[in-house]
Amino acid sequence: RLAVQVGGWVVSRFGARPPADAELRRRLAAHGVDGVSA
């Protein structure tokens, strides 16, 4: 489920390495992951 959330976020962004944003942090936090740098 975590991989689906992150994958969904990645494919909705432009570029090879999009910076982490609030939406990504929210998706990760929903799965108990924190400490993602921008």
Side-chain angles (χ1 to χ4, degrees):
R1 290 183 180 159
L2 174 59
V4 169
Q5 287 297 315
V6 174
W9 178 84
V10 168
V11 300
S12 68
R13 301 298 185 270
F14 182 75
R17 297 185 72 182
D21 63 7
E23 182 183 348
L24 176 60
R25 289 186 183 90
R26 180 188 56 77
R27 289 179 183 221
L28 294 174
H31 292 279
V33 179
D34 62 326
V36 177
S37 62

